[in-house]
Amino acid sequence: MNLIKFIIRKEVFEIKGWQFTKTHEPLEMVEKETPKAEKDHVVIKTGAVGLCHSDVGTMEDEGWMALMNAPVIMGHENAGTIIEVGEGVTDFKEGDRVAICPTGPSGLAPGYAYDGGFGTHIHAPASDLVPVPDELSIEQAASATDAGMTSYHALFTRGKAEKGMKIALIGIGGLGQFALQAAVAQGIEDIYAVDTSERAQELAKKIGAKEVVSDISELADKELDLVVDYAGFDVTTSKALETVRPGGTVVLVGMGKLQTTINVTDFIVNKKQLLASVGGNKEDIAAIYDLMASGDLSPTLSEITPDEIPEGIERLARGEVQGRLVAIYDDEK
């Protein structure tokens, strides 16, 4: 009888997930015992997890190793349902649908500091949780935790975007599409889109960009007040700085490459600004949720199964994904 009970427990309380060990090594499917909810923490059954170009960077660029508490189950864009609440948690209960802010008050990011949503369960600090509105699907909720939050924070919090400004967004992919829709929803008319992908260009036109080009340099005559670089592929940043008007601002978000070179003379003489933007906060996620719930923001999502996560990262690396790639767990479909 005791043996039978043990087997049943292993079936019910078992994490399965894709674990990262080090750069240039493939993700490994592992099984772990589901943790008990510690003080001020909850255990979440993963409903959906987004895939990000930073996941590509983690797999390919050794510079990311400094951020990884390896071995760790990856996945930093997460939403799901609470199945256990630890001591001291008063704002949430079992059964609540929640998302995790990856740059929240705890300072700990899922998929980096602790096991994330490439696994079936997540043990997360309650301080980082954001309630998911009933109007949203779990895949929408997951996509907003990084792609939505990061794009919104870079454009509105760091870039101070507002009506009357001339703004360009580089990279209309997982992040840029959120920012472009949010800008249009906020009534910003002079919003330009930059992307080399024909599919991304068509998406930008559909969303409502004033003009769509393949290189930021093509907008040199627009006297841009602000450029937000969601790609971060070296030349995208250096060209953005050369293109923005004197006194203008470039916000760098993307980490497609971990180095860039700038024209120092132009940068200094024309008193331009280069700002960094990383992640965001719970308020940014809530703002994106409000836009989604009202229908003003409807991101393009490409759905896969959790078994397809390694292949999905490879598709991202090859530039084959339109919008945001999201893995949805079986019981959420």
Side-chain angles (χ1 to χ4, degrees), residues 81-160:
T81 303
I82 295 176
I83 61 171
E84 187 181 358
V85 173
E87 178 187 352
V89 178
T90 58
D91 294 336
F92 299 94
K93 64 183 185 304
E94 291 182 19
D96 285 351
R97 294 199 314 159
V98 295
I100 306 171
C101 178
T103 50
S106 76
L108 301 173
Y112 292 93
Y114 62 91
D115 289 339
F118 286 3
T120 54
H121 298 77
I122 308 169
H123 184 239
S127 62
D128 294 343
L129 301 184
V130 181
V132 174
D134 293 338
E135 298 90 341
L136 302 189
S137 67
I138 206 68
E139 56 266 33
Q140 287 177 313
S143 71
T145 59
D146 184 10
M149 171 194 70
T150 300
S151 60
Y152 188 93
H153 186 83
L155 180 59
F156 292 101
T157 304
R158 294 291 283 162
K160 308 295 184 185

Side-chain angles (χ1 to χ4, degrees), residues 99-263:
I100 306 171
C101 178
T103 50
S106 76
L108 301 173
Y112 292 93
Y114 62 91
D115 289 339
F118 286 3
T120 54
H121 298 77
I122 308 169
H123 184 239
S127 62
D128 294 343
L129 301 184
V130 181
V132 174
D134 293 338
E135 298 90 341
L136 302 189
S137 67
I138 206 68
E139 56 266 33
Q140 287 177 313
S143 71
T145 59
D146 184 10
M149 171 194 70
T150 300
S151 60
Y152 188 93
H153 186 83
L155 180 59
F156 292 101
T157 304
R158 294 291 283 162
K160 308 295 184 185
E162 58 184 22
K163 291 181 182 179
M165 292 177 66
K166 295 181 179 180
I167 302 168
L169 309 178
I170 301 177
I172 311 302
L175 274 72
Q177 62 157 328
F178 277 92
L180 182 55
Q181 289 191 54
V184 171
Q186 299 288 4
I188 298 175
E189 296 180 353
D190 291 326
I191 186 79
Y192 300 87
V194 183
D195 205 296
T196 57
S197 164
E198 291 184 4
R199 289 188 299 174
Q201 290 176 1
E202 289 302 315
L203 177 61
K205 292 174 184 177
K206 182 179 179 181
I207 292 172
K210 184 173 184 177
E211 185 176 339
V212 181
V213 298
S214 59
D215 191 303
I216 185 66
S217 300
E218 298 176 57
L219 300 175
D221 63 338
K222 304 301 182 184
E223 290 292 302
L224 298 170
D225 300 294
L226 171 67
V227 180
V228 184
D229 185 0
Y230 291 109
F233 277 94
D234 182 17
V235 293
T236 58
T237 308
S238 59
K239 287 185 177 181
L241 276 169
E242 292 176 356
T243 302
V244 74
R245 68 164 176 80
T249 299
V250 174
V251 177
L252 176 57
V253 188
M255 298 174 70
K257 299 290 184 182
L258 298 185
Q259 298 86 27
T260 189
T261 302
I262 65 173
N263 182 333

Side-chain angles (χ1 to χ4, degrees), residues 264-298:
V264 174
T265 301
D266 173 72
F267 180 62
I268 294 176
V269 170
N270 289 307
K271 301 177 182 178
K272 299 179 179 182
Q273 297 186 84
L274 176 61
L275 303 179
S277 184
V278 57
N281 53 45
K282 297 196 296 184
E283 290 72 26
D284 295 322
I285 295 176
I288 288 291
Y289 283 168
D290 286 344
L291 289 172
M292 285 180 163
S294 67
D296 289 326
L297 196 158
S298 181

